[in-house]
Amino acid sequence: MEAIKTALERSLNLLATMGIADIVDILLVAYLIYKAIWFVRRTNSYNLAKGILVFLIVMLIANLFRLKMISYVLRKAAELGLIALVILFQPELRRLLERMGSSFSASRSQSGTEMDSAIAHTVLACTEMSASKTGALIIFERNVKLNEIMSTGTIINADTNAELIKNIFFNKAPLHDGALIIRAGRLAAAGCVLPLTKSTNLSKELGMRHRAGIGLSEQSDAVVVIVSEETGAISVAVDGMLKRHLTAATFERLLRSELIVEEADDKPRGFIQTLKKLIKGLTNETDKHNEKTV
């Protein structure tokens, strides 16, 4: 009992000496550890992580028993292993750095009458395609540029129009199988090929359109709209989280909240605002991972 009391007093003394810099330091380290765990789970590298952990334990045991030869071999293998990991996970690391860069940009939203008109025409087109059970996959580009994705399709560069969107996704149209990309409120490209999500926790009801939409939302900050060909349900994927069975009103409200900039977003962000955003993002990531399979 005395030992517990002493430990508690020591902990309270340590907490009393903590400053703002220490709290920020702890939060940043916790965020980096969480992102490392999230990266392992997102890239299906759990078995690889276990193998690395076993390797480190063996290296620790070899050092503990002073096995010089095996310790030397393991150290050299660890040095080469770091390079090998960078090469193996180069695409994932690149996407992770792109996402980190986009999260600190001034604003992920866009303003202007073009975007407002694009949202209105998209909602109208998707509502009508939902009624006729016409499958559709529409991407609203934000800070992360989708030039590589656009290169897989056909450049359009046209004003966003509900009738044009419906014609693109007409089941006998040549571009209906791919994705339509909207950039700065204009139809940029159609018939684009998207990467599929690697997540194995998705519902079996979700088809290729949904998996492609979730996959792109995991790799970029785009807002992806999916209309199911089987059920006509409208869904939206953002940051790897899929919101399904949206009504027209909810669908429009969601697009506006994600794509239309508010006046408060134009104000410069200070360090405290950035820290709050990191903490909010840490909380939201957990919620999104739990809700993605619903």
Side-chain angles (χ1 to χ4, degrees), residues 227-282:
V227 179
S228 173
E229 188 174 354
E230 288 76 19
T231 64
I234 300 175
S235 305
V236 174
V238 182
D239 293 332
M241 184 181 71
L242 183 67
K243 298 182 180 180
R244 304 174 61 189
H245 304 291
L246 301 175
T247 63
T250 304
F251 175 43
E252 183 172 7
R253 185 165 58 250
L254 178 59
L255 288 184
R256 291 187 181 280
S257 66
E258 293 287 345
L259 299 169
I260 301 296
V261 67
E262 297 179 359
E263 292 182 1
D265 292 334
D266 294 332
K267 298 178 181 179
R269 299 178 183 269
F271 175 76
I272 299 299
Q273 285 78 9
T274 303
L275 182 59
K276 287 180 179 179
K277 184 177 180 181
L278 279 175
I279 298 172
K280 183 179 179 181
L282 180 62

Side-chain angles (χ1 to χ4, degrees), residues 7 17 46 57 75 105 155 170 189 199 203 229-231 233 270 272:
T17 59
Y46 183 65
I57 292 173
R75 281 200 303 271
S105 57
I155 302 300
F170 178 62
S199 175
S203 170
E229 188 174 354
E230 288 76 19
T231 64
I272 299 299

Side-chain angles (χ1 to χ4, degrees), residues 122-123 125-130 132-139 162 164-171 175-181 191-192 194 207-213 224-237 242 251:
T122 301
V123 171
C126 289
T127 303
E128 295 183 6
M129 287 189 293
S130 174
S132 62
K133 292 186 179 180
T134 301
L137 185 55
I138 304 172
I139 302 161
L164 181 54
I165 294 174
K166 289 190 295 181
N167 284 338
I168 289 173
F169 289 107
F170 178 62
N171 60 6
L175 301 176
H176 80 281
D177 277 336
L180 171 66
I181 297 178
C192 301
L194 305 185
M208 298 298 289
R209 280 193 180 88
H210 293 84
R211 295 178 183 276
V224 185
V225 178
I226 308 109
V227 179
S228 173
E229 188 174 354
E230 288 76 19
T231 64
I234 300 175
S235 305
V236 174
L242 183 67
F251 175 43

